[in-house]
Amino acid sequence: MTYQTKKTMVSLLASIAILISYCISVYNDISKGLTLENDATFWAKKMLIYIAIGIAINIISFIVFHILLSVNLTVKDSMKDSKEINRKLELEMVEDEMDKLIELKSLRVGYIIASTGFILGLILLAFNTSIAIVLNILFLSFFVGAIAEGISNLFFYFRGIRNA
Amino acid sequence: MPKKFNITNNVRTLRFFANEMTQADLAEKAGVSRQTIMAIESGKYAPTLELAFRIADAFNVSITEVFGFEAKEESK
């Protein structure tokens, strides 16, 4: 497995962890008997907190990932020279035309899912569905879109990709 | 009848004749990742014209010696 696939997996796992923790948190709120159907402020605050947590988890996981990658390279190739380690790391981390093409194609998958969720939310809002459900559909569709983007990214790396 | 086009390559053979050049060395010379060289070698990725020229340049051969083009008829 190479750097790009490992990086995608780290990002994917972080997104899944955040989504699961959000779902558990919402389930706990509902099981406590809170009536939050029309409390848009509550949901907006909760979602903003989870977006902030998501950004923090992504940054931390990438820092840990890069530390582990450097340690792995040093141990595997028994290198002691820091310049050599940095050179190897740079070679591993290079992003080329195939990576960009895969990123574009998987980004498209993510956008399709996120925009479908957005349209679904608007349709539900038009039919007087509660604001809590609409906000949750929007929030979840963005997260599911990010997860789908990661999965399609891995799929393209393993199956291969054509330019056309 | 619809035709399917395939880009073939001799990267593995050329690496062998270039003193068993590693994928990592070729990747460094062509300025791409090892994963991309692996994908090209196994036919999972057809490179752009620019990268194809850079790979040919890494072996000091013409582009037609590295890449080929074949059209095969697809049965319905």
Side-chain angles (χ1 to χ4, degrees):
Chain A
M1 214 182 290
T2 53
Y3 171 78
Q4 297 295 342
T5 47
K6 285 179 197 164
K7 195 178 91 174
T8 309
M9 276 187 179
V10 170
S11 171
L12 189 61
L13 288 175
S15 298
I16 291 171
I18 297 158
L19 184 66
I20 290 171
S21 66
Y22 176 78
C23 290
I24 291 169
S25 162
V26 170
Y27 177 76
N28 285 339
D29 288 338
I30 292 167
S31 56
K32 273 181 202 164
L34 295 172
T35 49
L36 304 161
E37 277 198 14
N38 292 310
D39 193 353
T41 317
F42 169 83
W43 290 107
K45 279 180 189 169
K46 195 175 192 70
M47 285 169 192
L48 280 173
I49 288 168
Y50 270 88
I51 288 169
I53 291 171
I55 293 167
I57 286 180
N58 263 310
I59 291 169
I60 292 165
S61 59
F62 275 112
I63 290 169
V64 172
F65 169 63
H66 281 101
I67 291 169
L68 290 176
L69 191 73
S70 319
V71 171
N72 182 39
L73 266 180
T74 316
V75 172
K76 201 169 76 181
D77 299 345
S78 26
M79 285 185 289
K80 283 170 187 164
D81 186 12
S82 62
K83 276 184 186 170
E84 183 64 16
I85 295 167
N86 282 337
R87 200 184 73 86
K88 276 257 179 185
L89 264 178
E90 274 169 22
L91 281 177
E92 279 271 321
M93 287 162 67
V94 71
E95 196 184 41
D96 55 36
E97 56 175 51
M98 190 179 83
D99 300 319
K100 282 174 187 153
L101 186 64
I102 288 176
E103 195 183 319
L104 276 175
K105 291 212 173 193
S106 48
L107 206 63
R108 190 172 63 181
V109 175
Y111 274 128
I112 288 169
I113 291 174
S115 52
T116 306
F118 182 73
I119 291 165
L120 183 68
L122 287 181
I123 291 169
L124 288 174
L125 201 60
F127 285 100
N128 288 326
T129 310
S130 86
I131 191 75
I133 293 173
V134 173
L135 279 176
N136 273 295
I137 285 174
L138 291 181
F139 186 72
L140 292 176
S141 64
F142 279 104
F143 263 96
V144 173
I147 291 168
E149 187 188 323
I151 291 170
S152 49
N153 207 311
L154 289 176
F155 171 76
F156 287 131
Y157 273 116
F158 289 119
R159 193 210 63 172
I161 194 160
R162 298 260 158 204
N163 273 311
Chain B
M1 205 174 270
K3 276 186 176 178
K4 198 179 176 184
F5 297 98
N6 262 347
I7 305 278
T8 57
N9 71 82
N10 299 315
V11 175
R12 178 70 194 96
T13 316
L14 287 164
R15 279 201 303 114
F16 175 77
F17 286 117
N19 260 341
E20 198 61 78
M21 182 194 285
T22 62
Q23 287 179 334
D25 287 340
L26 177 59
E28 195 177 353
K29 281 183 180 176
V32 292
S33 65
R34 193 171 58 84
Q35 181 152 18
T36 301
I37 297 296
M38 277 161 58
I40 292 169
E41 244 183 61
S42 56
K44 285 181 178 176
Y45 176 63
T48 59
L49 198 56
E50 188 193 336
L51 178 56
F53 272 112
R54 273 192 273 147
I55 291 172
D57 188 52
F59 289 120
N60 274 324
V61 294
S62 71
I63 194 167
T64 50
E65 285 178 66
V66 189
F67 295 99
F69 181 73
E70 69 179 22
K72 59 176 181 183
E73 286 204 351
E74 202 177 23
S75 56
K76 273 187 180 175

